[in-house]
């Protein structure tokens, strides 16, 4: 099953994508996580994109298309995947055949103030990529419940200019992508300002429904 998770920053799409990936047994592919792994490894690609990510701008499409094309061609993606963070604009959609025939494209909708508030308070695990917030704190402050790594705050969540830039990009670049999935009859928009469990249950019902 191919599922595209979409939503403005802080909407909870990463959290839901991880859960759904475990539930369905298909990989969760986050372009943000792939890029942050390159940054952490200090690779040439990581060095090339560091300042772009920090400023909240979009990494050039060529890099994203190369990276996602390479990842999606791996055998574990044959039964499907959960896409988190791509396509981010019309060109990425048009050049990624793997996402054209998505079974579901799910947008978690939250308003801009909620995005800003959530990004200001979320902390991440650099190891297993778990995400924590005020409503979902780790049992021991600063330590990941799942893998024990020290939690960190993303640099692009800390700078308000980068946060505003990312949100603006979401709302300007995504309408044609959303329209593509809407006209294909696979788009579902859900209220992202609900408890994690409520949204997870709604997503599970949606993907279990016969087409
Ligand atoms: P995310 O973890 O999805 O919030 O992504 C973090 C940052 O990585 C974004 O602000 C962009 O700089 C970059 N990025 C992630 N996915 C993409 C993409 N599909 N296209 C361009 N840039 C991306």
């Amino acid at each position: 099953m191919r599922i595209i998770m979409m939503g403005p920053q802080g909407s909870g799409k990463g959290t839901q994508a991880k859960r759904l990936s475990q539930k369905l047994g298909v990989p969760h592919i986050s372009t943000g996580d792939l890029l942050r792994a390159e940054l952490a490894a200090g690779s040439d690609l990581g060095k090339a994109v560091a300042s772009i990510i920090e400023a909240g701008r979009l990494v050039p499409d060529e890099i994203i298309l190369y990276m996602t094309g390479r990842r999606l061609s791996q055998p574990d993606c044959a039964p499907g995947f959960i896409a988190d963070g791509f396509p981010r604009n019309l060109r990425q959609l048009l050049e990624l055949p793997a996402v054209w025939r998505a079974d579901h494209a799910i947008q978690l909708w939250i308003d801009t103030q909620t995005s800003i508030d959530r990004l200001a308070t979320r902390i991440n695990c650099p190891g297993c990529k778990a995400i924590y917030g005020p409503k979902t704190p780790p049992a021991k402050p600063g330590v990941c419940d799942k893998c024990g790594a020290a939690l960190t705050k993303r640099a692009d969540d800390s700078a308000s200019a980068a946060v505003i830039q990312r949100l603006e990009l979401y709302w300007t670049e995504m309408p044609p992508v959303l329209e593509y999935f809407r006209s294909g009859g696979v788009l579902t928009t859900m209220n992202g300002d609900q408890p994690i469990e409520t949204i997870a249950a709604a997503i599970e019902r949606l993907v279990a429904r016969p087409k």
Side-chain angles (χ1 to χ4, degrees):
M1 182 166 289
R2 295 170 175 185
I3 297 176
I4 316 297
M5 292 298 302
M6 299 172 298
Q9 285 70 14
S11 62
K13 68 180 165 39
T15 299
Q16 296 296 340
K18 275 190 203 65
R19 292 178 66 122
L20 194 57
S21 150
Q22 278 159 11
K23 177 95 192 162
L24 299 179
V26 294
H28 164 215
I29 301 175
S30 154
T31 39
D33 284 347
L34 291 174
L35 290 164
R36 282 184 288 277
E38 298 284 347
L39 289 182
S43 68
D44 288 343
L45 196 155
K47 287 180 191 140
V49 300
S51 62
I52 300 176
I53 294 177
E54 202 160 315
R57 290 184 282 118
L58 287 180
V59 167
D61 291 333
E62 286 71 20
I63 294 179
I64 298 294
L65 293 168
Y66 166 74
M67 225 176 50
T68 47
R70 193 176 55 175
R71 181 65 189 88
L72 293 171
S73 65
Q74 287 172 13
D76 63 331
C77 293
F81 55 84
I82 317 286
D84 168 8
F86 70 96
R88 208 77 153 220
N89 58 29
L90 188 58
R91 175 161 177 227
Q92 291 181 15
L93 168 68
L94 294 178
E95 298 205 19
L96 279 171
V99 305
W100 295 347
R101 288 177 305 279
D103 298 285
H104 294 281
I106 302 170
Q107 175 176 231
L108 299 183
W109 188 91
I110 55 171
D111 64 34
T112 296
Q113 192 55 51
T114 306
S115 283
I116 291 170
D117 294 345
R118 286 188 179 180
L119 296 197
T121 52
R122 81 175 172 187
I123 43 176
N124 299 68
C125 175
C128 70
K129 320 295 177 211
I131 303 164
Y132 298 90
K135 290 184 186 160
T136 53
K140 192 171 164 204
V143 179
C144 180
D145 290 347
K146 300 191 175 79
C147 74
L151 298 174
T152 54
K153 183 135 194 66
R154 281 172 46 175
D156 58 346
D157 282 354
S158 306
S160 57
V163 168
I164 299 295
Q165 167 79 287
R166 284 152 68 208
L167 286 167
E168 273 179 15
L169 280 169
Y170 184 83
W171 294 115
T172 53
E173 296 293 326
M174 287 302 283
V177 175
L178 294 166
E179 187 47 42
Y180 172 87
F181 290 124
R182 193 190 328 274
S183 63
V186 295
L187 179 69
T188 303
T189 294
M190 294 182 184
N191 174 8
D193 199 2
Q194 303 181 81
I196 291 173
E197 299 298 332
T198 306
I199 298 172
I203 293 176
E204 282 171 26
R205 279 197 302 277
L206 175 73
V207 302
R209 204 184 295 159
K211 291 205 120 196

